[in-house]
Amino acid sequence: MTTIITACLGVITVVWAKKKIDDAESQRQQRISTLDKFLAKNTDTPEDRPNRSARKKAMQSIENRFSIIRRISLFFLILIWIIALIFPYIGNIPATYISVFAASVGVVVGIMARPLIENTIAGMVISFSQPFRVNDTVIVDGHYGTIEDITTIHTVLKLWNWKRVIFPNSMMLTQKVINYTKTDLYQWVNIEFLVSYDCDLDQVERLVKREVVQCDHFADYEDPRFWVIGMEERSFKCWVVAWADNPPAAWELGHEVRSKIIKVFHTHGINASKIEFNCSPEAPEASERLGISSEQ
């Protein structure tokens, strides 16, 4: 009777697990099919229909990944099911044989397959917990780009300059990942600069805000803000902050604002320096490593 109940529960568990995996795969494919941008920075490309190509690759990646996840999950569930079925009869096998077999398997798996198992498990965790997804714009280990592919072993990050960085999935679970598009696409861009104490701050604020509003990539959800955030030895440290619709637009907005500030300050004789763009005020080191700071 116990064997029959175990067999029935095993079948139900396998069917339920397959359905959950199929549903997760369908949700990922549906999300990808609605995306129209696959870049961290707007740029021309030599490819024909780059978004269509990127969408096709992402769909194939999801199919491949979930195909492997489905096989691995069902294999382990069936293995556990078989063990559960034969468990009542294990007493008939000498304990010495069982111990030797278990120890041998454990040593082989632990030594030879540790990286594979570690990254595979991490890939499954990433697929279901979704700390980041395909097409999310992120900073990982100082690299700014878009998640292009998540396999069961590694994650491919497409950088803003079209280079690819491949991270093992186990590393992606332990690394600090700044995700710009986890919840929404809106970006709060801040431009930091220094102006000398002999400048008229009211004039600086008025000029900077005017230039920001005139930028093509400025999203007018609210007026730009101007803050004095510090007092250096010879200058004020100022921020002007504004909204952009998405990470590529934020990149372009940062470039526009820096260029306009440099030009308008030259025109009005305002002494300024260290004009920096940063989409993420909490991570200034990343912006410096990306080479997106500008000094004048």
Side-chain angles (χ1 to χ4, degrees):
M1 185 65 181
T2 303
T3 303
I4 296 175
I5 295 175
T6 302
C8 293
L9 289 175
V11 173
I12 294 172
T13 302
V14 170
V15 172
W16 174 83
K18 184 178 184 303
K19 184 179 183 304
K20 295 296 288 184
I21 294 173
D22 290 343
D23 290 343
E25 180 182 7
S26 177
Q27 291 173 4
R28 305 294 194 279
Q29 291 176 332
Q30 185 176 3
R31 186 183 74 88
I32 292 297
S33 65
T34 60
L35 296 174
D36 57 355
K37 289 184 179 297
F38 287 82
L39 295 172
K41 175 185 178 296
N42 287 327
T43 180
D44 293 329
T45 168
E47 293 183 8
D48 252 355
R49 299 182 179 179
N51 288 329
R52 180 178 178 181
S53 175
R55 186 181 295 110
K56 182 179 179 181
K57 291 179 182 177
M59 295 289 279
Q60 290 175 345
S61 169
I62 290 174
E63 291 175 2
N64 294 337
R65 184 167 80 252
F66 274 89
S67 175
I68 296 173
I69 288 175
R70 188 180 294 107
R71 292 174 185 174
I72 292 174
S73 300
L74 296 181
F75 170 78
F76 278 108
L77 285 174
I78 293 173
L79 180 62
I80 293 172
W81 179 31
I82 293 173
I83 292 174
L85 288 174
I86 66 174
F87 186 78
Y89 308 102
I90 290 180
N92 298 327
I93 303 174
T96 304
Y97 294 160
I98 297 176
S99 300
V100 171
F101 177 77
S104 301
V105 171
V107 170
V108 171
V109 170
I111 296 177
M112 302 298 295
R114 177 179 171 274
L116 176 63
I117 294 176
E118 187 178 69
N119 286 302
T120 300
I121 293 174
M124 296 176 68
V125 171
I126 290 171
S127 293
F128 288 101
S129 65
Q130 297 189 78
F132 49 84
R133 303 168 298 178
V134 172
N135 199 49
D136 279 1
T137 300
V138 299
I139 290 180
V140 185
D141 193 30
H143 298 287
Y144 175 74
T146 301
I147 299 294
E148 184 178 48
D149 193 6
I150 304 173
T151 73
T152 52
I153 305 297
H154 61 262
T155 297
V156 181
L157 179 66
K158 181 181 180 181
L159 303 187
W160 64 273
N161 58 3
W162 287 63
K163 293 181 180 179
R164 270 72 171 178
V165 180
I166 299 175
F167 293 97
N169 283 333
S170 57
M171 180 180 177
M172 294 298 292
L173 279 182
T174 57
Q175 274 279 347
K176 175 184 176 182
V177 179
I178 300 175
N179 193 329
Y180 290 111
T181 49
K182 172 66 175 175
T183 304
D184 53 55
L185 295 175
Y186 307 118
Q187 296 293 299
W188 201 49
V189 180
N190 75 295
I191 309 297
E192 178 181 310
F193 56 92
L194 303 176
V195 293
S196 63
Y197 283 117
D198 58 359
C199 293
D200 182 349
L201 273 180
D202 291 334
Q203 181 191 27
V204 171
E205 178 178 357
R206 184 174 63 255
L207 292 173
V208 169
K209 285 184 175 181
R210 185 190 69 188
E211 296 302 321
V212 172
V213 171
Q214 293 176 356
C215 290
D216 295 334
H217 294 86
F218 168 68
D220 57 351
Y221 303 113
E222 63 176 329
D223 293 335
R225 299 185 184 183
F226 177 87
W227 295 324
V228 177
I229 63 167
M231 300 177 68
E232 305 291 331
E233 183 179 352
R234 299 181 180 179
S235 57
F236 296 106
K237 180 183 291 186
C238 304
W239 272 12
V240 58
V241 295
W243 285 102
D245 286 322
N246 49 60
W251 181 291
E252 299 295 343
L253 178 61
H255 162 70
E256 286 184 291
V257 173
R258 282 179 295 170
S259 300
K260 287 178 177 291
I261 286 178
I262 291 172
K263 292 175 182 177
V264 76
F265 282 0
H266 280 174
T267 301
H268 291 81
I270 297 174
N271 186 16
S273 61
K274 197 181 178 182
I275 302 177
E276 289 188 351
F277 154 57
N278 190 6
C279 282
S280 177
E282 75 278 7
E285 293 180 2
S287 65
E288 292 173 3
R289 294 179 63 181
L290 291 168
I292 52 179
S293 65
S294 174
E295 294 189 2
Q296 175 62 27

